[in-house]
Amino acid sequence: MALKVAVLDDYQGCAKQFYDKLDSSQYAVSYFPDTLLPYQVAPREVQDELVQRLEPFDVIASMRERTPFPAELIQRLPNLKLLLTTGVRNKAIDLPSCAARRIPVAGATDTHSGPPDSTTEHAVAMILGLARRLAPGDANVKAGLWQADGRFATGLAGRTFGVLGLGRLGAAVARIMHLAFGMKVVAWSTNLTQQAADEQALRVGLPIERPDDGDGRNGGAGEKTFRVVSREELFAEADVVSVHLVLSDRTRGIVTARDLARMKPSAFFVNTSRGPLVVERDLLDVLKAGRIRGAALDVFDLEPLPSDSEWRSAEWGRNGTSDVLVAPHMGYVEERSITGFYRKQVANLERWVAGEPLETLLT
């Protein structure tokens, strides 16, 4: 009897080139490129539809957090024996529930993880796209207009870049903004120290202190390249606030109306990490009132965005609202990365069938 394998949420149809190479006498592979509403927020009929879709399968291959696997869903899949995902963590899978049923969960590393990686490039692109107002300009030209909305682009040179979370990705984006545009970098996270920030500066090839250029523009010798500030100072000082935190119970909803209220009216807010790091209603209210210049968002509380989502409005940037640049969670969706993920998934599946140890085991 062939092993039943479901491949979920492959929007670009990339997985087939790897999974279709499996011996069809051993593997019966089915593809489900459309993502249903997450089980924990879906109405009962959609929950049941998801269960009916997945219940027959021995192996499920998922892509990041596109389809979450909470405890109740796992309990309703009696045939599930192996769950494959991508990356080295997946907060959308209830790992204790999988462990209790002895269902191994294996991730897959990106075979193209050179510096800068895909997410870093995407974050920088979104910052520049927002500041230079590329999306409104494109829409105006295609509509037969020119500089029709009376708004300026924003220069970033010499301004302050605020990074919320100075880990690998945060430091990589901060490095680019500092070197390319001479932006001063301020950083904050719950346990970030100046010593840790100095170490991150060295890791990405920057000096601990900014050199004195002789005319005072750099603040003089002794100013830190990555300067750790309080949470309040970061939101108040930064011209761009960029979120680079890992989503956890501790960080969920960490950015609130109180933080956003401290931002300059001319500032930008950027999130390419995870939507639930920010209280979505608070951010919507700030942007609808036009209290900051704009926001660039690659991630949202609910993905894919519902058709009636307020984020899909064409009215952003009009009638006193802030500019809003949105993307469909594309930070990691680079061809080399995605093909690397699927190649590793298939290799892990073959290891499991052969009784060999799995790579990137999460449970």
Side-chain angles (χ1 to χ4, degrees), residues 13-335:
C14 178
K16 286 180 66 67
Q17 62 184 298
F18 302 105
Y19 279 91
D20 281 359
K21 292 178 181 179
L22 294 169
D23 185 343
S24 60
S25 66
Q26 289 186 271
Y27 303 91
V29 183
S30 299
Y31 300 93
F32 301 94
D34 59 315
T35 301
L36 296 177
L37 274 175
Y39 184 91
Q40 58 269 46
V41 300
R44 190 66 187 185
E45 61 269 20
V46 179
Q47 292 181 346
D48 292 341
E49 182 183 353
L50 182 60
V51 171
Q52 291 168 9
R53 168 183 285 188
L54 301 180
E55 191 274 336
F57 294 96
D58 306 291
V59 179
I60 296 175
S62 67
M63 172 55 69
R64 301 296 285 264
E65 292 100 0
R66 290 177 182 174
T67 293
F69 286 85
E72 186 178 344
L73 176 58
I74 292 166
Q75 291 162 6
R76 294 184 67 185
L77 301 177
N79 297 311
L80 183 60
K81 300 178 182 66
L82 173 66
L83 184 53
L84 300 170
T85 183
T86 54
V88 296
R89 65 171 70 92
N90 190 332
K91 291 292 184 181
I93 298 174
D94 192 301
L95 296 178
S97 295
C98 291
R101 283 192 47 199
R102 297 184 179 180
I103 299 170
V105 180
T109 54
D110 177 3
T111 55
H112 178 70
S113 294
D117 66 11
S118 176
T119 304
T120 300
E121 292 180 3
H122 192 68
V124 172
M126 293 204 73
I127 294 166
L128 295 177
L130 178 64
R132 304 309 303 185
R133 307 197 72 242
L134 295 185
D138 175 81
N140 283 336
V141 172
K142 289 176 178 175
L145 304 172
W146 201 239
Q147 296 184 26
D149 54 18
R151 293 197 179 193
F152 293 104
T154 299
L156 298 177
R159 296 180 185 263
T160 300
F161 183 73
V163 57
L164 202 66
L166 195 62
R168 179 179 62 86
L169 292 176
V173 175
R175 174 184 180 274
I176 292 171
M177 304 311 292
H178 174 70
L179 289 177
F181 304 104
M183 294 191 80
K184 294 172 284 189
V185 177
V186 295
W188 176 85
S189 63
T190 305
N191 298 312
L192 182 64
T193 64
Q194 187 60 61
Q195 179 181 348
D198 291 345
E199 291 171 355
Q200 284 289 66
L202 292 174
R203 186 186 65 81
V204 297
L206 297 176
I208 290 175
E209 295 182 354
R210 301 172 68 204
D212 187 357
D213 59 13
D215 63 5
R217 288 185 302 170
N218 283 357
E223 182 174 305
K224 296 292 187 178
T225 301
F226 291 166
R227 180 166 60 93
V228 176
V229 296
S230 70
R231 177 175 178 162
E232 293 78 12
E233 288 173 310
L234 183 137
F235 280 94
E237 291 183 19
D239 296 291
V240 178
V241 174
S242 190
V243 181
H244 299 280
L245 295 167
V246 174
L247 180 63
S248 67
D249 292 340
R250 182 168 59 90
T251 59
R252 185 177 296 273
I254 194 169
V255 178
T256 68
R258 181 177 296 181
D259 301 308
L260 299 170
R262 293 191 174 96
M263 293 179 68
K264 304 173 185 177
S266 59
F268 298 112
F269 181 83
V270 181
N271 187 6
T272 55
S273 293
R274 290 294 182 272
L277 292 165
V278 185
V279 179
E280 187 172 69
R281 187 70 258 165
D282 290 352
L283 182 57
L284 277 164
D285 289 345
V286 165
L287 296 171
K288 283 187 169 185
R291 295 190 192 118
I292 62 175
R293 181 70 58 85
L297 307 170
D298 190 43
V299 290
F300 306 89
D301 275 11
L302 185 59
E303 299 178 8
L305 282 176
S307 58
D308 61 351
S309 170
E310 293 176 85
W311 295 120
R312 291 184 181 269
S313 171
E315 297 305 309
W316 291 116
R318 303 176 184 176
N319 303 316
T321 63
S322 304
D323 281 340
V324 174
L325 175 64
V326 292
H329 203 154
M330 292 291 291
Y332 66 98
V333 186
E334 181 187 79
E335 184 175 5

Side-chain angles (χ1 to χ4, degrees), residues 316-356:
W316 291 116
R318 303 176 184 176
N319 303 316
T321 63
S322 304
D323 281 340
V324 174
L325 175 64
V326 292
H329 203 154
M330 292 291 291
Y332 66 98
V333 186
E334 181 187 79
E335 184 175 5
R336 290 176 295 184
S337 299
I338 299 298
T339 55
F341 284 146
Y342 283 128
R343 185 181 291 109
K344 289 289 187 72
Q345 272 194 354
V346 170
N348 249 346
L349 174 57
E350 292 180 309
R351 284 191 191 90
W352 181 72
V353 169
E356 299 172 359

